[in-house]
Amino acid sequence: MHFSTADIIGLYRQAAHRIHSGERVTHLAHAWQCGRLAEKSGASLELQLASWLHDVGHLWSQPSAPTTDPAVKGHAALGSRLLEPLFGLAVSEPVRLHVLAKRYLVTTRASYARKLSPQSLRSLTHQGGHLSEDECDDFERQAFFAEAIQLRIWDDLGQKDGWFEITIQDALDQLEGLMQSVAAQCVT
Ligand SMILES: [Fe+2]
């Protein structure tokens, strides 16, 4: 499937006025907030980009459907398949693992589930719920385990109503610049 950085910009431009299902922010604001949280934490450019684009599978597969739709169950896998040829594993793997990271955190940290938004708690069931001990062990052995956990935490925090200190065009320009930087240093 052919997928380009221009397609990505197009998807996020379309998403600029759509509310992220069940949450209080638009898809673009959510993506920007996650990227900004990663940047403020000193994350690598690849992890900043993964944070920006972690829900691209939602935007690509279900442009107008709610995230509880069963078809979106695989949005992490779909997003990672779209991103790997463009940006490599350092971007695609945290994206692929970010739903598993939520299931891992719910399983291993008692306080984590209490902080999830109602929408995120609802989608947990569709996403498979808690992990078994073996599944937790497998997940911890993933090369991008730590990055996936980080991304997941920013994903949960990036739902702040009213936090979008930028114009839509400037946000898209920032994304474009970040994609160019990562693609330039990516060896796939
Ligand atoms: Fe998200």
Side-chain angles (χ1 to χ4, degrees), residues 20 30 54-55 98 155 159:
H20 191 228
H30 174 57
H54 69 278
D55 282 332
H98 82 277
D155 188 8
Q159 309 280 357

